[in-house]
Amino acid sequence: MITTLRTDITIGDVCEGFVYNEFEGKGLFGLSGKLVIQPEYQRNYIYADGKKDVAVIESILKGYPIGLIYFVKVAEDKYEILDGQQRITSIGRFKTNKFPVFDENGTPRYFRGLNPELQEKINKTPLTIYICEGEETEIKEWFKTINIAGVPLKEQELANAIHSGPFVTLAKEVFSNSRNANIQKWSAYISGAVDRQDYLRTALEWISKGYENEDNIDKYMSLHRYDDNINELKLYFDSVIDWISSVFDDVKPAMKGLEWGRLYETYHNTAYNNQEVSTLVNQLYEDIFVKNTKGIFEYILGGCQDKSLLDIRVFDESTKRVAYTKQTNSAKEEGKSNCPLCAVGNNANATKIWSLKEMDADHVTAWTRGGSTTIENCEMLCKTHNRSKGNR
Ligand SMILES: [Zn+2]
């Protein structure tokens, strides 16, 4: 990798011929057509929030440095931005009057409304640019290195850079495009941001079984890098989404971001009754003893076996103490053990009075059969009996 430091290129130079694509939401060209501002592998422009973009311009107006910028030299006198794309796009958009900054009186000022000296000051500001020439593997290393500055690249943004090509381009059109009308539907099950590649990440994770091993995603992308279609990826993704919505009629907030790919692989050959599933989902969702609502769906898919998925709320200490006292008092009167299961036995324990800490709380009516975690349904058992009951 060869790097050359250039400090002679000014903001005015870089913004010469600046083109911003409002529709795609990205800066395209600059430096009189010699610079590609947003190569395909780069993330979308995310500074247009009236804060980050304004901060870039304010820094320049105050004479603060805006940091290092990296170009990759792709041909003689042709460059792509490797790092600095967000800042350059902000500057270009400001210079083309796309957003204002605010003066000391809070008055908005577009570039064209600044006094000529200020305009000149901005144009003459030199940038600190490293121009890099190197192999793709080196670029990958660079991305990792420069990742420490600014808004860090996400894993998938990095992967898009490494595997840039027709496959990534096509995949981004579908999964990284906030104008895709399906995003709304998908967002019920997928968390994260479309423009930060979280949906694409999820789609790739599902098809490659990246949930088993993250390296699978890289392998898949590498294998399909030069494909001229994304049919397999899209078909699998749609199958998972269709399966979720065919099993679960209800859309619950806790469904967002679950490991749907893994659940699909595990359960898509099992038949479910929608009505029953729906009833169960709603029951469990409203059950205040279910602490982990995210576990409801896998619990149901697995045939309501694995209660640990639900993280059931246990009896609290005061409830246990009240139940213990009540039980122990009447046991003493009757001359029986305060563990009802010991009391019906015929060994020495039949009359044994256990201390509170020798006992555990149990649901009289099992939680799975609708028993609540309230005092009326609380029964203290000796630890041995509680354990054997819990294992049923
Ligand atoms: Zn007992």
Side-chain angles (χ1 to χ4, degrees):
M1 158 98 57
I2 311 162
T3 58
T4 318
L5 178 64
R6 295 274 301 266
T7 53
D8 58 315
I9 301 172
T10 63
I11 282 179
D13 297 332
V14 163
C15 292
E16 194 64 46
F18 174 79
V19 177
Y20 180 76
N21 185 320
E22 207 68 56
F23 184 70
E24 292 183 58
K26 60 188 197 181
L28 300 179
F29 309 108
L31 204 65
S32 309
K34 289 181 280 192
L35 177 68
V36 175
I37 292 178
Q38 187 165 29
E40 201 50 60
Y41 56 78
Q42 281 274 22
R43 63 164 162 249
N44 296 351
Y45 178 59
I46 56 174
Y47 269 27
D49 59 0
K51 289 196 183 95
K52 291 196 199 75
D53 47 4
V54 168
V56 171
I57 306 307
E58 283 176 345
S59 298
I60 295 165
L61 288 170
K62 288 175 183 160
Y64 298 162
I66 60 160
L68 291 175
I69 287 172
Y70 294 95
F71 288 179
V72 179
K73 185 173 179 179
V74 289
E76 200 48 44
D77 225 14
K78 291 280 179 195
Y79 309 93
E80 288 183 352
I81 295 186
L82 181 61
D83 191 46
Q85 168 233 142
Q86 303 288 335
R87 284 166 284 164
I88 300 252
T89 306
S90 296
I91 296 166
R93 289 182 79 243
F94 180 69
K95 278 208 62 188
T96 48
N97 307 299
K98 298 285 194 297
F99 67 92
V101 293
F102 297 86
D103 66 14
E104 60 274 18
N105 304 316
T107 311
R109 299 282 182 214
Y110 285 88
F111 183 78
R112 65 166 165 253
L114 296 177
N115 70 49
E117 293 96 83
L118 264 184
Q119 291 187 355
E120 189 66 3
K121 181 181 172 185
I122 292 173
N123 283 332
K124 288 270 168 65
T125 302
L127 297 168
T128 311
I129 301 172
Y130 273 103
I131 297 186
C132 317
E133 294 173 64
E135 295 298 311
E136 198 180 307
T137 48
E138 290 178 304
I139 290 180
K140 176 179 173 177
E141 283 309 306
W142 267 97
F143 259 89
K144 285 191 173 164
T145 312
I146 62 180
N147 211 353
I148 50 176
V151 181
L153 286 169
K154 284 198 160 194
E155 199 62 33
Q156 189 56 42
E157 290 171 330
L158 187 61
N160 287 353
I162 298 161
H163 305 291
S164 69
F167 181 81
V168 163
T169 304
L170 291 166
K172 282 179 74 176
E173 275 173 25
V174 174
F175 296 106
S176 314
N177 176 3
S178 51
R179 285 185 178 76
N180 181 341
N182 288 317
I183 297 287
Q184 177 71 22
K185 180 185 179 186
W186 299 344
S187 70
Y189 314 121
I190 295 171
S191 56
V194 176
D195 60 359
R196 297 301 306 273
Q197 311 303 323
D198 292 324
Y199 284 60
L200 177 55
R201 184 74 177 176
T202 303
L204 288 163
E205 188 180 86
W206 289 354
I207 192 155
S208 69
K209 294 195 168 67
Y211 44 83
E212 287 172 2
N213 183 346
E214 230 186 355
D215 293 345
N216 292 347
I217 297 177
D218 258 326
K219 285 183 198 150
Y220 188 88
M221 290 184 81
S222 174
L223 203 60
H224 294 274
R225 182 169 181 185
Y226 296 107
D227 287 6
D228 60 2
N229 70 79
I230 57 160
N231 297 348
E232 184 190 57
L233 176 70
K234 185 70 172 62
L235 192 67
Y236 189 88
F237 182 84
D238 287 342
S239 307
V240 177
I241 296 284
D242 289 347
W243 173 76
I244 305 169
S245 52
S246 71
V247 175
F248 299 101
D249 292 345
D250 316 79
V251 173
K252 298 287 186 190
M255 294 175 117
K256 207 176 171 72
L258 295 184
E259 289 187 334
W260 289 114
R262 179 177 61 77
L263 296 175
Y264 171 80
E265 279 299 321
T266 315
Y267 297 112
H268 78 277
N269 287 323
T270 308
Y272 297 96
N273 177 321
N274 287 51
Q275 293 265 292
E276 283 172 17
V277 167
S278 176
T279 307
L280 271 169
V281 167
N282 285 300
Q283 264 173 14
L284 292 169
Y285 222 85
E286 282 158 26
D287 191 325
I288 58 162
F289 302 104
V290 172
K291 281 202 279 184
N292 180 29
T293 50
K294 284 200 162 294
I296 289 175
F297 309 94
E298 185 166 5
Y299 174 73
I300 295 172
L301 290 169
C304 300
Q305 299 294 315
D306 187 359
K307 272 201 282 173
S308 68
L309 289 165
L310 303 175
D311 191 10
I312 297 298
R313 207 176 295 277
V314 292
F315 289 104
D316 60 36
E317 289 309 314
S318 66
T319 304
K320 285 190 206 169
R321 218 172 302 120
V322 171
Y324 174 82
T325 308
K326 193 173 150 222
Q327 240 172 272
T328 306
N329 287 345
S330 70
K332 279 179 179 168
E333 267 174 38
E334 294 170 37
K336 291 194 292 191
S337 171
N338 58 349
C339 167
L341 295 181
C342 287
V344 296
N346 49 14
N347 58 28
N349 286 345
T351 55
K352 186 173 169 94
I353 298 294
W354 302 91
S355 70
L356 177 57
K357 63 174 193 282
E358 289 170 322
M359 304 185 90
D360 273 327
D362 181 57
H363 290 79
V364 179
T365 304
W367 174 85
T368 41
R369 300 207 192 90
S372 65
T373 307
T374 53
I375 182 75
E376 296 76 35
N377 197 35
C378 180
E379 181 176 61
M380 299 301 288
L381 297 179
C382 74
K383 290 208 173 188
T384 313
H385 275 125
N386 188 64
R387 218 170 293 127
S388 63
K389 218 187 152 188
N391 290 341
R392 287 179 314 182

